[in-house]
Amino acid sequence: MAVGEARGDDPPDRSNGSTSEAHGFQWTLTLLPAFPILLLVLRLWHLSKQDLHTMLLLVQNVGPLDLVSSLVITLMWVPPVFVLAGQALGLLYLVSTREERRRRSSWLAKTAMRTPDWAIAVTVMWAATSWQLRFLPALAMVTVVIVGLTTRLRNPDRPRLIWAVCIGLPVAMALFEYVWLFPAIGDAFSRGEGMLVLILLVPPALAPLLTGPIPPRFARVSTHAPAAAGALLAPFLLVAVFLRAPVLPTVAMELEHGPDQRAEVVLGSVVTVDDTMTTLLDNDGAVRFVPNERVASKVLCPGAEAIPNSAVEVQRWSIEQSALQWLLPAKETRRAKDPRCDGRPLVP
């Protein structure tokens, strides 16, 4: 009987749960480096139009630094999205759930509690410099929500501080954003860019509503379901974004055929150039080996990703530019005026 009582008083064994979590974390660390490699291979496979021999030619001539540089520049905005969104959802779950048992069983809550404040601050600065201006209202909303939920979680017995940070700060931030973005909102509305109007209008209005707890019965579904859906859809979205990223320079080459023949303009990407031959991957996915003596002229053409889709500006700051692009000197992006980029020779 004493043995049974002693066994009943022993704390529950959580070694199996800890071991499974450790194994899951190890598998995550093992597979994480493989994802960028998979992205690079898929980009070359897509660029070669699913032709294996063309892909092998690209692998032989395209340097790894070119691929990595394109990957970093194209997806530089992605890490802050995961960090800030996960932190906001985790804090919202912690504020809405007071039971310690539910907090311990939530991976989202564990992540939010273990993320240091300095990491969030660095991530916010990262996003502020890498995100386009159109997404800065969403960044301000997420930042205000994280600050408000953190204040509510750490200072539950200070109602004045909670009211100032969770209500006063979001309202003041929303008023400032609306005053600053009012010309851009009106310009976007007049141009018929409804999605841009919503992107600029909605986040400041939502910030005061997301700094407080939600009913405990809906807390897990409201926070864990969006986080799980984002984690499942993120790889497919990243692949879709990176498949359109340029990894080779786009050029227009004017070729000479003869004195009585019209010059031909070939559009494509330069794979490699040697002393006698230029290897070109045209827009149809065909590899062309052009003798250098036939090249009359060539010009570097901007890709579709360099052409702005919106002319809306805020204080002479393009809505599609990031702070890093706005502060650093850059070549003016405009539609190519060179006729060769449209497939027409210089001399008809």
Side-chain angles (χ1 to χ4, degrees):
M1 186 66 180
V3 174
E5 292 177 356
R7 289 178 179 176
D9 294 336
D10 289 341
D13 185 12
R14 297 188 179 90
S15 59
N16 293 333
S18 302
T19 303
S20 61
E21 290 182 1
H23 283 303
F25 185 68
Q26 291 175 359
W27 273 106
T28 302
L29 293 180
T30 303
L31 296 177
L32 190 60
F35 184 68
I37 299 176
L38 178 62
L39 279 179
L40 300 177
V41 173
L42 288 176
R43 182 64 187 99
L44 292 180
W45 177 250
H46 180 265
L47 186 63
S48 63
K49 305 296 182 182
Q50 295 81 49
D51 182 75
L52 181 59
H53 296 282
T54 304
M55 176 182 168
L56 294 177
L57 177 66
L58 295 177
V59 171
Q60 181 180 1
N61 293 281
V62 178
L65 183 59
D66 301 334
L67 291 172
V68 173
S69 301
S70 179
L71 177 67
V72 171
I73 296 299
T74 305
L75 303 180
M76 185 171 56
W77 56 272
V78 173
V81 175
F82 291 99
V83 175
L84 297 179
Q87 184 72 8
L89 292 174
L91 291 175
L92 183 60
Y93 181 76
L94 288 172
V95 169
S96 305
T97 305
R98 296 298 180 183
E99 296 183 15
E100 195 64 28
R101 178 180 59 83
R102 293 186 178 181
R103 291 184 174 184
R104 288 198 302 266
S105 63
S106 170
W107 59 271
L108 197 59
K110 291 179 182 179
T111 304
M113 288 187 294
R114 295 173 181 175
T115 304
D117 294 341
W118 64 265
I120 300 299
V122 171
T123 305
V124 170
M125 291 186 290
W126 180 355
T129 56
S130 62
W131 287 10
Q132 295 180 358
L133 173 59
R134 69 174 78 194
F135 300 118
L136 292 189
L139 174 62
M141 177 196 71
V142 176
T143 305
V144 169
V145 168
I146 291 176
V147 172
L149 293 175
T150 302
T151 303
R152 189 183 293 272
L153 185 65
R154 297 178 181 176
N155 303 276
D157 55 345
R158 302 180 64 181
R160 293 185 178 180
L161 178 62
I162 292 176
W163 188 93
V165 176
C166 298
I167 303 296
L169 179 61
V171 171
M173 182 67 71
L175 293 176
F176 171 77
E177 292 181 41
Y178 284 143
V179 171
W180 188 53
L181 296 172
F182 181 77
I185 295 174
D187 191 10
F189 183 79
S190 63
R191 296 175 183 271
E193 301 182 22
M195 183 58 65
L196 180 58
V197 173
L198 293 178
I199 291 175
L200 299 178
L201 274 178
V202 174
L206 288 180
L209 305 177
L210 298 177
T211 55
I214 57 179
R217 67 177 65 181
F218 304 114
R220 192 171 190 89
V221 176
S222 301
T223 55
H224 288 67
L232 291 176
L233 295 178
F236 302 99
L237 296 177
L238 295 180
V239 169
V241 171
F242 185 63
L243 286 182
R244 296 195 297 267
V247 294
L248 291 172
T250 302
V251 300
M253 297 178 58
E254 186 177 6
L255 307 181
E256 294 180 345
H257 288 284
D260 298 333
Q261 295 180 345
R262 184 179 178 181
E264 177 190 4
V265 176
V266 181
L267 301 176
S269 301
V270 175
V271 179
T272 183
V273 179
D274 55 25
D275 296 337
T276 59
M277 201 77 63
T278 297
T279 305
L280 186 76
L281 181 67
D282 63 21
N283 292 339
D284 296 328
V287 178
R288 303 186 59 166
F289 300 95
V290 182
N292 291 337
E293 61 267 14
R294 287 188 54 198
V295 179
S297 63
K298 55 185 174 181
V299 62
L300 187 65
C301 299
E305 72 284 341
I307 300 175
N309 296 318
S310 177
V312 178
E313 294 184 351
V314 180
Q315 305 295 332
R316 295 182 298 177
W317 182 0
S318 174
I319 204 75
E320 295 184 356
Q321 281 187 326
S322 64
L324 195 61
Q325 294 173 317
W326 188 60
L327 294 174
L328 297 180
K331 183 175 65 175
E332 183 181 359
T333 56
R334 64 179 70 178
R335 294 191 178 273
K337 295 181 179 180
D338 196 302
R340 290 170 293 182
C341 293
D342 296 328
R344 303 191 306 272
L346 286 177
V347 180

